[in-house]
Amino acid sequence: MEKEISGKKISKVEVSNPKCLNMPLEKFRKAIVGKTIESVENRGKWLFIKLDSKCFLLFNPGMGADVIHFKPEDKLPEKYQLKVTLRDGTGFTIRVWWFCYLHLVPQDKLGEHKLTGKLGLSPLDKGFTLDYFKQLLANNRGNIKSFLLDQKNIAGIGNVYVQDPLFEARIHPKRKIRSLTEKEIEALYKPLQSILKESIKLGGLAYEKDFHGKYGGYGKNQYRIAYKPGQPCPVCQTTIEKVKTGSTSSFICPKCQDLDD
Ligand SMILES: [Zn+2]
């Protein structure tokens, strides 16, 4: 996305779901049409699109979205809620699976933005060292899975990517953080990073499209125990179970990931 749209000027914006904006549509349109996109970055599940007006367009796809690039001669996707056209005739459409946020925030107010101001580091950030991870967990009383999913602690780990790292570290999702040993924390640290790296290398999840509409390659063949209930654990052959953990589902090997240790 950075490669295709940065340096280009926005000439038109269409929004059919204005509820996703943090201001009235007309005001939003006036503020971004004519501005040039300087860069595109992500922080966790958020896209940060920097404009030359010292403002950021912050986009969060909710449960998911297809953000697809187009050239003037391309046929557009059948359904989309957002369309941004650039001066050279290229642009992108966004089809939201359920809901999304598209907020325009001045650079000097980024820290005050409720949804992104307190985002934690991504496991792929340079600062996410083993010491940092240990510090983050220190003195925390909750259980490990909820902690990992809370974007204020770590940005970018969702319910898909949390399953296998917990399995690799042989930690039950409901374990109290206080009960984790140094060794377990170290065993958890590495797969939190490697799972994201591998997925990025393969273009994301198998049901997600990239900016050019191509599906990702990270799926069943890569999952260790995630989304494989009823199948044998790859380590001990015990049947993988699907269990409720708060509002989310977890996949565990009941033998490898014992709750009582
Ligand atoms: Zn097992």
Side-chain angles (χ1 to χ4, degrees), residues 167 233-238 253-257:
F167 170 73
C233 164
V235 170
C236 74
Q237 314 306 317
T238 303
C253 166
K255 195 170 169 205
C256 293
Q257 292 162 280

Side-chain angles (χ1 to χ4, degrees), residues 20-245:
C20 70
L21 304 174
N22 60 337
M23 60 183 69
L25 176 56
E26 268 323 298
K27 190 177 169 197
F28 179 78
R29 190 176 273 141
K30 266 189 194 149
I32 78 161
V33 168
K35 303 299 182 290
T36 297
I37 294 165
E38 288 190 339
S39 61
V40 185
E41 283 174 24
N42 86 296
R43 278 184 65 193
K45 302 170 180 178
W46 286 83
L47 276 181
F48 280 58
I49 302 174
K50 192 179 182 199
L51 305 179
D52 65 348
S53 55
K54 289 199 164 64
C55 282
F56 280 83
L57 265 177
L58 306 180
F59 176 73
N60 181 307
M63 303 304 286
D66 303 332
V67 183
I68 310 284
H69 181 249
F70 66 82
K71 290 183 186 137
E73 67 272 21
D74 287 347
K75 197 173 161 256
L76 295 179
E78 258 174 48
K79 273 189 191 164
Y80 55 84
Q81 291 85 24
L82 293 143
K83 183 182 175 193
V84 175
T85 308
L86 305 165
R87 182 143 307 170
D88 67 355
T90 68
F92 59 96
T93 55
I94 301 180
R95 181 181 76 91
V96 179
W97 298 358
W98 189 8
F99 66 94
C100 72
Y101 302 108
L102 182 62
H103 290 180
L104 183 69
V105 181
Q107 192 164 357
D108 57 4
K109 295 263 161 49
L110 277 181
E112 293 163 37
H113 185 244
K114 275 198 183 124
L115 298 169
T116 64
K118 286 184 180 140
L119 278 181
L121 290 183
S122 152
L124 299 180
D125 283 330
K126 269 196 193 124
F128 196 86
T129 60
L130 178 59
D131 278 343
Y132 174 84
F133 186 48
K134 283 180 182 170
Q135 282 294 318
L136 207 59
L137 291 170
N139 305 319
N140 202 290
R141 290 171 168 271
N143 71 54
I144 185 64
K145 188 188 177 194
S146 323
F147 180 89
L148 295 172
L149 290 182
D150 187 337
Q151 303 297 301
K152 290 197 285 296
N153 299 323
I154 300 174
I157 297 286
N159 202 40
V160 172
Y161 293 118
V162 78
Q163 312 283 345
D164 287 335
L166 286 170
F167 170 73
E168 299 285 0
R170 309 288 182 263
I171 298 171
H172 190 285
K174 279 188 178 167
R175 285 274 302 280
K176 293 275 179 232
I177 292 168
R178 276 184 307 177
S179 78
L180 299 178
T181 65
E182 187 106 354
K183 237 181 165 170
E184 285 175 322
I185 292 173
E186 283 167 16
L188 180 59
Y189 170 73
K190 230 182 172 175
L192 280 178
Q193 298 179 313
S194 57
I195 194 171
L196 292 181
K197 278 186 196 158
E198 198 185 347
S199 183
I200 289 168
K201 204 171 83 189
L202 295 172
L205 295 175
Y207 56 83
E208 293 173 332
K209 287 177 181 170
D210 70 11
F211 200 44
H212 296 288
K214 195 173 158 254
Y215 281 104
Y218 196 93
K220 269 190 191 144
N221 294 336
Q222 284 71 34
Y223 295 148
R224 300 272 279 153
I225 54 132
Y227 303 96
K228 291 186 169 176
Q231 295 186 39
C233 164
V235 170
C236 74
Q237 314 306 317
T238 303
T239 305
I240 297 165
E241 289 177 2
K242 180 180 178 180
V243 295
K244 262 302 207 199
T245 41

